[in-house]
Amino acid sequence: FGWDVVQDILNGAHDLDTHFVETNPRHNLPVLLALVDLWNDHFLPSSCSYKPCGGKMITPFMESFSSYPSFVATLEAQVCGQANHSGRNRNPYSHVAPSGLVVDGGINGAFDRVSYQGRRAPPCELIVAMEPQLPSSRMDKDFMKFYSECVYGESEQSNQDRSICSFFSHADVMAFGSGGYRNRDGRGGSSVHTGGGSSAFGHGLGSASFDSHVPSTPQAVSHDNDFAEGNRPSSLLICTRCDPFTIGQLVALSEHRALISAKLWDVEHYAFTQLHGSSIRSKQTEGMAEKLDLLYQRLDLVGNVDEDGETDPVGGPKLNLATTTLLGHYASRMHEQKARYKTER
């Protein structure tokens, strides 16, 4: 990146840190988003017929944000991904833990069917930038001119225009369903738009949340399965542009949001420590590797990994029968591939 880009990222993170520390909770974006997560995760399933599963689905509407869902998933899995074992009872809901589950919704709402019609779909979070992502200034000038004309030209709607329209349409369809659809002449569907405030901060990043209680009254559609039930909650993250400053803001926003969620659920938050269950998996992996080496040795000597009546012919670490059988199939096939490679070489 170079130091200038890294400095912009740090400046964006500092800007959000300042917002988090100095802003009243009523307008504090990490606090508000954490409260939205708490509502969607615990209270919403008991207050409506729609029963969302835990966690949330993050859907980027720009290629530039394609890595954002995986970052948030990693962060929240580490911070909020365990139950409360401290024995404290300060929180009446301490026996219930946050899901810590984040699903990548795909670019431009690729999983829209489960969002519109699924009975156990997770709440959605959509993210987009108002300004398009332009190529590097080091690109060829003619190409830059052509690209800028495609984005800002007045001949027709650009891809950015279509993405923004799709972004808001996705949220509206989830909120109001087929009953909120309006024809070109303005008729049809609900005329009342409810739910969701918004707040903005720093470099132009904002949020809104939808939880409509408009009854679903599907209009006449082209196909029996082409409908949306509505009453699906969604949160909208709208940035001015996707630049290093905004990325720093998003990183700090995600960290503070996960921390507040852990505090609300009274979860011990030790992010990225070694003792969070992975040490058990590491020991199991070592035993699995030892068993695989023994299987390869048997294949070299005997040519097969099992004989009639033998459940564990190679000895070594004790594994369950299903795992031993499947590992034996893998060893046989890989041993064959290695032998073929040596012969061809």
Side-chain angles (χ1 to χ4, degrees):
F1 291 145
W3 177 248
D4 292 340
V5 174
V6 175
Q7 186 62 54
D8 287 341
I9 295 175
L10 295 176
N11 291 338
H14 177 71
D15 180 80
L16 197 284
D17 291 340
T18 303
H19 165 83
F20 176 65
V21 172
E22 298 180 354
T23 305
N24 186 289
R26 294 183 59 185
H27 307 286
N28 195 304
L29 196 55
V31 174
L32 293 176
L33 289 175
L35 290 172
V36 169
D37 292 339
L38 176 65
W39 170 260
N40 289 338
D41 214 10
H42 186 76
F43 296 101
L44 181 62
S46 62
S47 64
C48 65
S49 59
Y50 163 69
K51 305 298 181 184
C53 63
K56 55 179 172 284
M57 179 188 295
I58 299 181
T59 301
F61 274 74
M62 287 184 68
E63 189 73 28
S64 307
F65 292 123
S66 59
S67 298
Y68 179 68
S70 61
F71 168 75
V72 177
T74 303
L75 180 65
E76 295 205 3
Q78 298 294 336
V79 178
C80 304
Q82 68 172 0
N84 182 9
H85 300 293
S86 63
R88 297 174 300 180
N89 295 316
R90 296 177 303 176
N91 188 337
Y93 302 104
S94 60
H95 63 285
V96 183
S99 66
L101 176 65
V102 178
V103 179
D104 187 347
I107 300 294
N108 296 325
F111 300 159
D112 53 357
R113 179 167 186 175
V114 70
S115 300
Y116 298 156
Q117 302 176 4
R119 304 299 297 175
R120 296 283 293 169
C124 291
E125 184 171 296
L126 318 179
I127 181 169
V128 74
M130 290 293 189
E131 298 181 7
Q133 185 72 22
L134 295 176
S136 172
S137 59
R138 292 172 292 181
M139 298 291 292
D140 181 78
K141 292 184 178 180
D142 292 336
F143 176 79
M144 287 290 295
K145 182 178 179 180
F146 170 76
Y147 188 89
S148 299
E149 179 65 26
C150 292
V151 173
Y152 299 114
E154 299 179 357
S155 58
E156 58 183 21
Q157 286 186 339
S158 65
N159 290 336
Q160 179 71 5
D161 295 333
R162 301 294 296 177
S163 295
I164 292 295
C165 293
S166 177
F167 175 80
F168 289 112
S169 297
H170 192 43
D172 279 358
V173 172
M174 283 191 294
F176 304 112
S178 305
Y181 174 75
R182 303 184 69 83
N183 298 321
R184 290 177 180 269
D185 59 3
R187 295 180 297 176
S190 172
S191 59
V192 180
H193 191 286
T194 63
S198 64
S199 59
F201 70 94
H203 205 34
L205 183 64
S207 170
S209 178
F210 296 89
D211 183 18
S212 168
H213 293 280
V214 178
S216 176
T217 54
Q219 304 293 318
V221 292
S222 58
H223 193 274
D224 291 340
N225 292 325
D226 188 14
F227 71 95
E229 295 188 354
N231 199 26
R232 302 292 195 267
S234 64
S235 302
L236 275 61
L237 292 178
I238 305 174
C239 310
T240 302
R241 64 184 65 88
C242 182
D243 59 6
F245 189 90
T246 301
I247 297 302
Q249 286 186 311
L250 289 173
V251 170
L253 170 67
S254 302
E255 292 173 348
H256 293 308
R257 178 182 186 177
L259 177 64
I260 293 299
S261 294
K263 287 291 186 180
L264 290 173
W265 289 95
D266 198 18
V267 169
E268 298 291 346
H269 50 87
Y270 297 104
F272 301 105
T273 59
Q274 295 181 354
L275 302 179
H276 57 262
S278 295
S279 59
I280 302 174
R281 187 179 65 185
S282 298
K283 295 178 181 178
Q284 185 73 0
T285 301
E286 293 176 2
M288 203 77 65
E290 182 180 348
K291 176 72 77 172
L292 186 58
D293 288 337
L294 293 173
L295 289 170
Y296 282 141
Q297 293 176 18
R298 180 180 176 91
L299 286 167
D300 290 332
L301 295 175
V302 183
N304 61 70
V305 296
D306 58 357
E307 295 179 358
D308 293 340
E310 290 187 282
T311 58
D312 191 5
V314 298
K318 296 296 183 180
L319 304 176
N320 67 75
L321 179 60
T323 302
T324 302
T325 303
L326 294 173
L327 195 63
H329 285 303
Y330 167 79
S332 299
R333 185 167 184 82
M334 186 56 67
H335 185 270
E336 179 184 343
Q337 295 291 333
K338 290 180 178 179
R340 183 181 305 171
Y341 172 74
K342 292 179 181 179
T343 302
E344 294 176 352
R345 189 179 59 176

